[in-house]
Amino acid sequence: QVQLVESGGGLVQAGGSLRLSCAASGRTFSSYAMGWFRQAPGKEREFVARISRSGGSTYYADSVKGRFTISRDNAKNTVYLQMNSLKPEDTAVYYCAATNGGGYTSTTGYDHWGQGTQVTVSS
């Protein structure tokens, strides 16, 4: 029902910033709540942030609170993750995901996934 493509990843030094984008296809992007997840090598995929359909409600993992900001522009069919004060432990492949539900912080709550974009934070 929706195709997701992440972009904006790259290599950045600790303390730097990156903004990830997730472009969605389809006519009903605004009907999906969106989430960002990340997965480091050898580890399980973990929740990072979520945003409601309208963008009016957000929720963050404790590890990124105060540093990351999720937002969306439904007119552009895009969700963003602004990442500031990056740390080496933020290094992972970052995925965006879509759900027809809401309030999910586990991967099983999401129905559609992008291919991921690599974020590497050097010390």
Side-chain angles (χ1 to χ4, degrees):
Q1 295 185 33
V2 61
Q3 298 282 322
L4 306 174
V5 180
E6 301 95 334
S7 63
L11 176 64
V12 65
Q13 292 186 343
S17 297
L18 285 173
R19 188 173 80 155
L20 306 183
S21 298
C22 177
S25 64
R27 299 173 60 188
T28 57
F29 175 70
S30 62
S31 69
Y32 295 95
M34 300 294 296
W36 283 98
F37 293 77
R38 65 188 183 187
Q39 187 168 23
K43 297 184 178 180
E44 295 184 351
R45 194 167 299 183
E46 67 174 355
F47 168 77
V48 175
R50 70 184 188 217
I51 190 166
S52 62
R53 294 170 178 82
S54 67
S57 180
T58 59
Y59 185 77
Y60 300 91
D62 287 342
S63 60
V64 305
K65 284 181 179 177
R67 300 189 298 119
F68 290 12
T69 302
I70 188 171
S71 62
R72 68 191 297 163
D73 186 339
N74 287 348
K76 296 181 179 179
N77 280 16
T78 303
V79 63
Y80 304 96
L81 185 69
Q82 178 66 47
M83 306 185 294
N84 299 327
S85 301
L86 283 163
K87 305 174 181 179
E89 51 263 45
D90 295 319
T91 295
V93 176
Y94 283 71
Y95 299 88
C96 64
T99 177
N100 284 321
Y104 300 122
T105 58
S106 65
T107 59
T108 56
Y110 291 81
D111 307 302
H112 308 282
W113 295 84
Q115 84 290 346
T117 186
Q118 177 71 48
V119 172
T120 302
V121 184
S122 63
S123 60

